[in-house]
Amino acid sequence: MDELRRKGLEMMNEVYGWEMPNVEGNDYFALTADHLFGTIWTRPGLSMRDKRIMTLTVVTALGNSELAEIQANAALANGEITEDELKEMAIFLTHYLGFPLGSKLDGVVSKVVKNRKKAAEKGRGEDKKANVNAAVKMHSGGTVHDDPDE
């Protein structure tokens, strides 16, 4: 693995809050890991919190609930944003993006908080395998591996 891929995977791990597998032989994943995470997410100038808020805003504006869920879960897991701040983001964005998109984010936040509380009550963290599979699918052009450690 070259240095750029290592750097990109390390940033993906930080952004998502779990170990992302290296998907070999997939040009789309290579572009995402190497360029987006190895070059763009690692640039100085914005904090991780700033980048997270911007990403949540954009995916909310696009109506991408799947990515909003991944980002909200990771933001909570990494301690970058609180539950109350995520709820406040949904209220704030509703007034710029409209009720349907704002309420979608509010629903995502409620779902993530509920699932995290359930997992905590059962004494385990969030379902990382499902999160990893969703992120791998998104960053590899739709390819999902049953075992994210492959």
Side-chain angles (χ1 to χ4, degrees):
M1 176 182 324
D2 68 15
E3 180 63 21
L4 184 58
R5 176 62 55 88
R6 184 197 59 72
K7 184 178 172 184
L9 285 174
E10 283 179 5
M11 182 53 67
M12 288 178 94
N13 293 341
E14 184 178 345
V15 168
Y16 292 123
W18 61 77
E19 289 292 315
M20 282 293 292
N22 182 24
V23 179
E24 295 286 343
N26 183 304
D27 291 340
Y28 191 85
F29 183 83
L31 181 64
T32 302
D34 300 348
H35 180 68
L36 176 60
F37 289 97
T39 304
I40 302 302
W41 272 85
T42 59
R43 289 177 55 86
L46 295 172
S47 69
M48 184 60 75
R49 177 183 164 85
D50 295 339
K51 293 172 188 175
R52 183 82 65 195
I53 289 170
M54 289 173 40
T55 302
L56 276 163
T57 300
V58 169
V59 300
T60 299
L62 294 172
N64 189 334
S65 296
E66 184 177 287
L67 185 52
E69 185 174 335
I70 291 169
Q71 290 290 327
N73 204 6
L76 291 171
N78 292 342
E80 297 156 352
I81 302 173
T82 66
E83 293 174 10
D84 289 340
E85 289 170 326
L86 285 170
K87 285 296 215 177
E88 196 61 35
M89 281 180 65
I91 291 168
F92 184 82
L93 289 175
T94 295
H95 293 83
Y96 285 91
L97 301 176
F99 185 81
L101 294 172
S103 66
K104 225 179 195 184
L105 178 60
D106 185 66
V108 163
V109 171
S110 295
K111 177 182 176 184
V112 167
V113 168
K114 178 182 165 190
N115 289 344
R116 292 179 65 79
K117 285 182 180 173
K118 274 187 188 175
E121 288 170 3
K122 292 180 179 180
R124 66 182 205 284
E126 74 268 19
D127 183 359
K128 291 189 179 198
K129 183 176 181 177
N131 289 338
V132 171
N133 279 343
V136 169
K137 178 181 178 184
M138 176 179 49
H139 291 300
S140 62
T143 304
V144 178
H145 299 282
D146 290 332
D147 183 358
D149 296 326
E150 287 183 350

